Amino acid sequence: MRTYDAIVVGAGHNGLTAAAFLARAGLDVVCVEKNDYIGGAAVSRNLYKDWIYSNCSYVCSLLRPEIYRALELHKHGLQITPFGGLVQFMENGDYFGAYHDPEVAYREMARHSRHDADSYKTYRADTMRQCRFIRDFLLTTPPDPTSFRYRDVRELVRIGGKFLEMGEDRMYETLRFWTMSVAGYLDEYFETDVIKAAKSGSGIIGTALGVHSPGTAYVLLHHYMGEVDGNVGSWGYARGGMGAVSGAIAGAFRAYGGELRTGAGVDRIVVRNNRAGGVALESGEEIDGRLVVSAMDVRRTFLRCIDRSDLPGDFRRRIENFKIRGSSGKLNIALDGLPTFPALPEGSPLMLGDMHFIDSLERMERAYDDWKAGTWSKDPYIDMVIPTLTDPTMAPPGKHFASCFVQYCPHRIDGRAWTSREKDAFGQTVIDRIANYSPDFRDLILHVEVRTPEDIEREIGITEGNIFHGELTLDQLLFNRPVPGFAQYRTPVNGLWMCGSGTHPGGGVMAAPGANAAREILADLNRVNTVPENFGDD
């Protein structure tokens, strides 16, 4: 029977990235995926006639350029197109627009508040300073602060050195920043509610926290760390939908000789004498491997696919307490034409970017209150994009696709499963909110896919549908992710590795966890390192 050098469980972007770098080093690698399609949450699916839906993740910003270049993803068809701006619609019929052109952006912000327009330069400089500090550690393994190994001490010294370079005042600011709420952070720069609402969305997306919850300032930073064509903080569309990202990485993996198997769900990771030796598929087939790399979230890996007796009790308890809470829903909508928004000037470039339909921090916090009460937000935060304005390949000529990411939407309703009626009501809530600002939106709808966290968990396998595989709070970052002592992609089971978003540096279509895990595996095997290091500030 064939024994692979490595079995990677899950063909999402992190699993594929780890598999690609291992295969690039000459290992015999198979990647197994439970669905009959690859991509996990980074997927493009034809669910209605000739429309292509990015039906889970919907924009590309965090994919590390080092990985893009090392795997030569351009050769496998991946094209990222930047999209522009943001619009925050207001209940009074006005709007706030964020533009890429700095002069236009200043005038628009000054239209609402000269103070905020003048303050924005300081805000951006301070936020980018934090961003540049943390970005340098994305493609590195977090050091273990309790270890006295040379590599850990060296990395701790490097981090400390970069921290000291900030100077005393900036060091205080950094320590505060990591524990602040996004609302508290924005209050230090801006006075206008709609501007603060526009900036705060990045602090709650995918997160079971509200704008006033400590730790959400870092979530904002996490979303700012992406770049497109060297522009830090920019977001873009993958041509052909987000499945193009996974498809390109899979193309690189196959080009290096890797084997990809779909419709091969893993029922159990086989452990013998405290060593992973393969996987047992749901079909009953067993695949042997010298090591197993799990791209699943940590709860699914350790609580569902490994026998309790194969794990130390304290480790299992920590995994049980790892916070993975579903808070995000999704609507994917096929449109018969382009909707109009009377608040915007005709031909506004803001149509090309994010559209939000909430204009105050108070409304955003009340949306979170609904989630805490066990139901979906009745006045939700909606991040809607129309990617077909930039990428016409996703819909027939003259037609459009709208993607709506929604906060907040619980995994369970009052502790129980969703009913079909409640799911329809959630979708209608979102449509009604958008229709308040677009009189023809409802009439243009041809098809709607409504996805709750329960749906996402069932279809993709992410616990509670949490897009980050676990909250991005300080207690679950760096050497604490997923649990202290096991933040370097290793596990208590010999030969079993983690490479999913539940490891450092966290979620988003970044691919850094997969790359970092591959680097550690190759080091343990004394193989040539095929994983790029951080480019540094460019």
Side-chain angles (χ1 to χ4, degrees), residues 69-127:
R69 298 180 202 179
L71 295 180
E72 299 183 303
L73 298 185
H74 62 286
K75 291 185 178 180
H76 301 283
L78 183 58
Q79 301 177 45
I80 307 297
T81 305
F83 71 81
L86 170 154
V87 60
Q88 205 84 10
F89 290 103
M90 303 171 66
E91 286 190 304
N92 65 4
D94 199 358
Y95 68 93
F96 166 69
Y99 300 86
H100 284 312
D101 185 304
E103 292 186 8
V104 177
Y106 180 88
R107 291 198 300 269
E108 171 64 5
M109 195 170 285
R111 185 170 71 87
H112 293 271
S113 166
R114 178 59 64 87
H115 168 276
D116 289 0
D118 291 336
S119 185
Y120 177 71
K121 184 176 181 180
T122 303
Y123 164 79
R124 179 169 176 80
D126 289 349
T127 306

Side-chain angles (χ1 to χ4, degrees), residues 153-169:
V153 172
R154 181 185 61 189
E155 184 65 10
L156 284 169
V157 169
R158 187 173 79 91
I159 293 173
K162 287 184 66 68
F163 188 58
L164 290 171
E165 287 174 7
M166 289 183 165
E168 184 175 341
D169 291 343

Side-chain angles (χ1 to χ4, degrees), residues 183-236:
Y185 181 63
L186 294 170
D187 281 342
E188 299 199 348
Y189 299 92
F190 305 113
E191 62 182 12
T192 310
D193 220 11
V194 68
I195 293 176
K196 287 188 283 188
K199 303 297 180 187
S200 66
S202 293
I204 61 167
I205 286 180
T207 304
L209 297 170
V211 291
H212 292 288
S213 301
T216 47
Y218 173 77
V219 181
L220 174 143
L221 182 67
H222 191 83
H223 285 99
Y224 277 14
M225 286 188 291
E227 61 183 85
V228 176
D229 292 339
N231 298 306
V232 178
S234 295
W235 290 15

